[in-house]
Amino acid sequence: MRILLAEDDKQLNSALVYRLEEEGFIVDSCQDGEEALFYGEQNIYDIILLDRMLPHMEGSDVLSALRKKDITTPVILITALGSLSDKVEGLDLGADDYLVKPFAFEELLARIRCVTRRPRTLTENDMLTVDDITWHPAECTLTGPSGSCTLSKRESALLETFLRSKGQTLPRTTLLLKVWGPDSDVEEGNLDNYIHFLRRRLQITGSKLKILTIRGIGYSLQ
């Protein structure tokens, strides 16, 4: 799961990035509103953690701008403004949740789980099951009819992207942004290599799922 963290307190920003990455999330971080809007507009994140008081552009304005562009990524506003009117205003702007500083990291994790919950695909153990395979994010393990295998962190991010978009054609640019991030200078050939790795993983597990090449566009899990 890829998270965008927009927090201008450098110490808190660094601490949250460290803790979130320890939990297995992929985190892109920034410290001002204009950067947050730019990253958010890429529409590659599973959730955005957005400080309300950011330099250059307030978090509430970033949120409004994203919603006007029909970007529906779940957003948790993180702020020291904790009055009832502040919370109501933030939720009315389109936030999915509102977390007041200071907060316990465990509460942040619980709220992330809450706003990103997908009842049709996630089990009580946070496993993702699609057709004949089950993905275990915590262990980076893929299980199918013929057995299991362990994936690298990059393979895991790419696989999860496909599993959450089964049947959809995913453009190459979307996959590169989603898995490597907007600041990466990764070459497109690397994507092809990882597609090859994932196809082998699916074969090893005996899955009937296939990653198809959609010529001139990208790939699709069918």
Side-chain angles (χ1 to χ4, degrees), residues 72-89:
T72 59
T73 305
V75 172
I76 298 178
L77 282 178
I78 299 177
T79 176
L81 303 176
S83 70
L84 176 60
S85 61
D86 289 325
K87 294 178 181 179
V88 170
E89 182 184 1

Side-chain angles (χ1 to χ4, degrees), residues 141-210:
T141 301
L142 180 66
T143 301
S146 300
S148 300
C149 62
T150 301
L151 279 63
S152 69
K153 186 174 181 180
R154 194 76 71 184
E155 289 174 323
S156 300
L158 186 57
L159 174 66
E160 187 168 332
T161 300
F162 278 117
L163 293 178
R164 294 190 183 279
S165 305
K166 184 194 170 223
Q168 300 179 31
T169 297
L170 299 176
R172 297 175 65 87
T173 53
T174 297
L175 292 170
L176 287 167
L177 285 169
K178 188 79 172 175
V179 178
W180 280 269
D183 292 332
S184 175
D185 57 357
V186 62
E187 296 180 359
E188 287 201 16
N190 282 359
L191 173 60
D192 298 323
N193 290 336
Y194 278 93
I195 293 293
H196 173 70
F197 297 154
L198 284 189
R199 284 170 170 162
R200 291 186 61 186
R201 304 298 190 196
L202 290 172
Q203 289 176 352
I204 290 171
T205 60
S207 175
K208 295 181 179 179
L209 290 170
K210 305 291 184 183

Side-chain angles (χ1 to χ4, degrees), residues 21-221:
E21 289 182 340
E22 273 198 326
E23 294 293 328
F25 297 106
I26 300 171
V27 185
D28 296 324
S29 70
C30 59
Q31 297 177 11
D32 71 67
E34 291 180 352
E35 283 190 31
L37 179 59
F38 169 77
Y39 285 123
E41 287 175 338
Q42 308 307 308
N43 204 17
I44 60 172
Y45 297 99
D46 299 291
I47 187 169
I48 298 173
L49 308 179
L50 182 62
D51 185 9
R52 188 161 182 173
M53 304 298 290
L54 291 170
H56 303 135
M57 186 178 188
E58 291 191 0
S60 55
D61 293 330
V62 173
L63 176 57
S64 295
L66 291 175
R67 294 303 186 236
K68 287 178 181 178
K69 293 178 179 289
D70 294 324
I71 293 174
T72 59
T73 305
V75 172
I76 298 178
L77 282 178
I78 299 177
T79 176
L81 303 176
S83 70
L84 176 60
S85 61
D86 289 325
K87 294 178 181 179
V88 170
E89 182 184 1
L91 294 171
D92 284 343
L93 286 171
D96 296 86
D97 204 347
Y98 198 104
L99 187 58
V100 179
K101 301 175 184 177
F103 55 85
F105 182 70
E106 291 73 17
E107 181 180 3
L108 174 61
L109 288 180
R111 290 174 182 266
I112 290 173
R113 290 194 296 269
C114 181
V115 300
T116 59
R117 188 172 294 128
R118 299 172 185 262
R120 292 184 180 179
T121 53
L122 288 180
T123 71
E124 60 184 5
N125 295 317
D126 288 336
M127 297 184 298
L128 182 60
T129 298
V130 176
D131 290 351
D132 59 356
I133 59 172
T134 298
W135 167 239
H136 306 260
E139 296 85 17
C140 293
T141 301
L142 180 66
T143 301
S146 300
S148 300
C149 62
T150 301
L151 279 63
S152 69
K153 186 174 181 180
R154 194 76 71 184
E155 289 174 323
S156 300
L158 186 57
L159 174 66
E160 187 168 332
T161 300
F162 278 117
L163 293 178
R164 294 190 183 279
S165 305
K166 184 194 170 223
Q168 300 179 31
T169 297
L170 299 176
R172 297 175 65 87
T173 53
T174 297
L175 292 170
L176 287 167
L177 285 169
K178 188 79 172 175
V179 178
W180 280 269
D183 292 332
S184 175
D185 57 357
V186 62
E187 296 180 359
E188 287 201 16
N190 282 359
L191 173 60
D192 298 323
N193 290 336
Y194 278 93
I195 293 293
H196 173 70
F197 297 154
L198 284 189
R199 284 170 170 162
R200 291 186 61 186
R201 304 298 190 196
L202 290 172
Q203 289 176 352
I204 290 171
T205 60
S207 175
K208 295 181 179 179
L209 290 170
K210 305 291 184 183
I211 299 176
L212 304 181
T213 300
I214 311 301
R215 192 171 299 279
I217 302 177
Y219 298 95
S220 177
L221 181 67

